[in-house]
């Protein structure tokens, strides 16, 4: 089912330019963009995935991962098929790459109000647009986020950060938090293994921060792709200098996936060394993902343990009701 697209320009000869993500595809009449879910029909652009839910789960907010955003709460998590990237290690490739592999199933049409009702019924405090890339289901996420906001629910994006600033400005009144994957700190890696570019992702991170949306960063450390200590140091420095030392950084362990089955998992020692390096540079909150060890949040002022985590079980043992350290009263960075 077609739904009018937002954020595009009509050019000559029924060509349109989509301005939703930094590919800025120019699409001829009858053709689709790189994501394969936006189609030009007679000089107008339409989205093919509005309401076309492919995944719908109640998750701990920590699973996004967002560790400083309503910790210990549940987030109603949704996705439609498609992505504007094609990462060779994608863990959700069956749904993210679906429009490139096959015709999309059209059976499940869920209205935004039904998502909001389901989130309320399951005692979630937020809706997460996740699993695939929320940018490519922007119209659906925007309508859902507007309704969610009216009912007091918060909204979070889990994203590759390749959207345009125009898109961020449009979703900003309704978006409370975001986790952006910075998947490498070399443009060449973005080109070769993901079909993207680095700088627009960095620009989105800066923009999200400047709009006052809570931001956390994730980096999946893939052996032989982005595990050069100098590259990781430059990335940590960017987070510190451009986004601020209070920005949490999640370092995730790679396991062989999809097209990248030719190497083993990331050594835990690399994750630990990267965490130590980031802390030396002054980042306050660095967490390890896809490892057994729990992650604690420490007060940046006095060192008191504020939040203990064991898997997705979260205990806010050192915080008062307003997110302040029980020992020294310093506010923990984040949304509480
Ligand atoms: S969302 Fe991105 S990839 Fe898809 S049509 Fe628009 S510019 Fe192209």
């Amino acid at each position: 089912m077609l739904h009018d697209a937002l954020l595009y320009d009509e050019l000559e000869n029924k060509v349109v330019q989509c301005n939703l993500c930094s590919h800025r595809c120019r699409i001829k009449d009858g053709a689709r963009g790189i994501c394969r879910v936006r189609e030009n029909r007679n000089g107008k652009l339409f989205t093919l995935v509005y309401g076309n839910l492919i995944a719908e789960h109640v998750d701990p907010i920590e699973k996004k991962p967002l560790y400083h955003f309503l910790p210990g709460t549940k987030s109603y998590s949704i996705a439609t098929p498609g992505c504007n990237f094609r990462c060779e290690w994608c863990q959700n490739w069956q749904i993210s790459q679906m429009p490139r592999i096959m015709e999309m199933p059209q059976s499940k049409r869920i209205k935004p109000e039904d998502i909001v009702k389901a989130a309320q019924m399951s005692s979630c405090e937020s809706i997460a647009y996740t699993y695939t890339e929320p940018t490519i289901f922007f119209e659906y996420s925007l309508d859902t986020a507007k309704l969610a906001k009216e009912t007091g629910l918060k909204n979070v994006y889990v994203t590759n950060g390749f959207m345009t600033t125009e898109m961020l400005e449009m979703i900003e009144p309704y978006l409370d938090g975001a986790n952006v994957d910075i998947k490498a700190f070399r443009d060449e890696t973005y080109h070769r293994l993901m079909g993207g570019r680095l700088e627009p992702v960095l620009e989105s991170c800066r923009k999200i921060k400047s709009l006052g949306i809570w931001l956390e960063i994730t980096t999946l450390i893939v052996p032989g792709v982005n595990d050069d200590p100098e590259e990781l140091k430059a990335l940590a420095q960017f987070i510190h200098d451009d986004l601020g030392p209070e920005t949490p950084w999640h370092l995730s362990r790679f396991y062989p996936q999809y097209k990248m089955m030719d190497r083993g998992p990331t050594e835990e020692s690399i994750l630990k060394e990267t965490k130590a390096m980031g802390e030396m540079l002054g980042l306050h909150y660095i967490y390890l993902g896809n490892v057994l060890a729990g992650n604690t949040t420490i007060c940046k002022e006095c060192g008191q343990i504020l939040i203990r985590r064991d898997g997705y079980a979260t205990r806010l043992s050192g915080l008062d009701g307003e997110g302040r350290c029980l020992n020294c009263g310093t506010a923990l960075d984040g949304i509480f």
Side-chain angles (χ1 to χ4, degrees):
M1 201 190 297
L2 299 178
H3 189 282
D4 291 346
L6 296 168
L7 286 171
Y8 72 95
D9 293 324
E10 294 178 27
L11 309 177
E12 289 179 348
N13 300 321
K14 294 187 182 176
V15 174
V16 301
Q17 175 172 309
C18 176
N19 297 314
L20 198 48
C21 89
S22 293
H23 287 309
R24 294 196 191 265
C25 299
R26 288 186 171 216
I27 310 169
K28 288 183 189 160
D29 186 16
R32 294 182 185 177
I34 288 172
C35 59
R36 310 288 303 150
V37 301
R38 295 170 85 73
E39 187 169 301
N40 180 343
R41 296 247 179 128
N42 205 23
K44 305 277 180 207
L45 190 63
F46 296 90
T47 167
L48 307 176
V49 290
Y50 192 100
N52 188 1
L53 270 198
I54 195 80
E56 188 180 16
H57 302 286
V58 174
D59 284 339
I61 191 77
E62 284 74 17
K63 195 173 176 183
K64 301 301 105 196
L66 283 167
Y67 275 14
H68 291 233
F69 189 96
L70 304 178
T73 64
K74 293 185 285 185
S75 190
Y76 204 80
S77 303
I78 62 166
T80 69
C83 189
N84 48 359
F85 277 10
R86 44 168 179 73
C87 306
E88 298 205 347
W89 51 83
C90 182
Q91 61 177 2
N92 290 325
W93 65 271
Q94 290 95 336
I95 54 175
S96 71
Q97 302 303 309
M98 181 184 278
R100 296 194 171 103
I101 302 167
M102 56 188 277
E103 273 306 307
M104 287 175 285
Q106 296 289 322
S107 52
K108 227 179 166 188
R109 287 272 157 198
I110 309 289
K111 292 185 200 144
E113 47 266 47
D114 294 332
I115 298 288
V116 173
K117 267 188 219 142
Q120 289 175 311
M121 295 286 285
S122 17
S123 305
C124 290
E125 293 193 21
S126 61
I127 297 180
Y129 308 87
T130 179
Y131 307 131
T132 61
E133 174 50 46
T135 301
I136 62 90
F137 60 96
F138 175 63
E139 292 80 4
Y140 187 45
S141 70
L142 181 68
D143 287 353
T144 307
K146 283 180 183 172
L147 287 178
K149 199 80 174 173
E150 284 170 15
T151 66
L153 288 165
K154 295 202 182 311
N155 295 290
V156 299
Y157 266 18
V158 182
T159 172
N160 60 26
F162 203 61
M163 67 277 280
T164 56
T165 51
E166 302 98 285
M167 194 206 105
L168 281 172
E169 282 167 2
M170 207 175 230
I171 191 84
E172 178 268 327
Y174 316 101
L175 192 64
D176 302 285
N179 186 306
V180 176
D181 255 350
I182 302 182
K183 298 167 187 276
F185 209 62
R186 289 182 184 155
D187 196 48
E188 186 273 334
T189 310
Y190 265 87
H191 267 285
R192 187 166 47 91
L193 297 176
M194 304 168 223
R197 283 175 285 127
L198 172 62
E199 187 50 41
V201 177
L202 304 185
E203 193 47 41
S204 290
C205 292
R206 294 186 196 103
K207 184 74 181 174
I208 288 168
K209 200 78 186 184
S210 75
L211 290 171
I213 298 164
W214 177 251
L215 174 64
E216 305 194 16
I217 301 294
T218 295
T219 302
L220 180 77
I221 300 187
V222 184
V225 170
N226 59 0
D227 59 347
D228 173 359
E230 285 307 311
E231 180 178 350
L232 290 165
K233 192 173 176 187
L235 171 47
Q237 196 72 58
F238 164 79
I239 296 172
H240 181 276
D241 295 351
D242 287 42
L243 310 179
E246 74 285 0
T247 309
W249 190 22
H250 300 265
L251 301 170
S252 242
R253 189 179 194 197
F254 162 86
Y255 285 94
Q257 296 274 358
Y258 188 36
K259 293 183 180 173
M260 201 160 264
M261 303 298 289
D262 60 344
R263 61 203 79 196
T266 322
E267 298 286 342
E268 279 200 44
S269 59
I270 292 177
L271 298 176
K272 288 178 180 159
E273 285 162 19
T274 307
K275 177 173 158 66
M277 174 275 294
E279 286 169 347
M280 281 286 290
L281 287 178
L283 294 178
H284 295 312
Y285 313 110
I286 304 181
Y287 303 108
L288 305 188
N290 293 342
V291 295
L292 281 180
N295 280 300
T296 52
T297 297
I298 309 281
C299 176
K300 64 185 178 189
E301 281 304 316
C302 72
Q304 164 96 359
I305 294 180
L306 303 178
I307 306 177
R308 294 175 193 272
R309 300 178 191 83
D310 187 9
Y312 293 125
T314 303
R315 272 197 302 134
L316 283 63
S317 52
L319 283 177
D320 69 14
E322 293 178 344
R324 295 181 182 280
C325 173
L326 284 174
N327 186 48
C328 72
T330 301
L332 176 58
D333 299 295
I335 306 282
F336 299 97

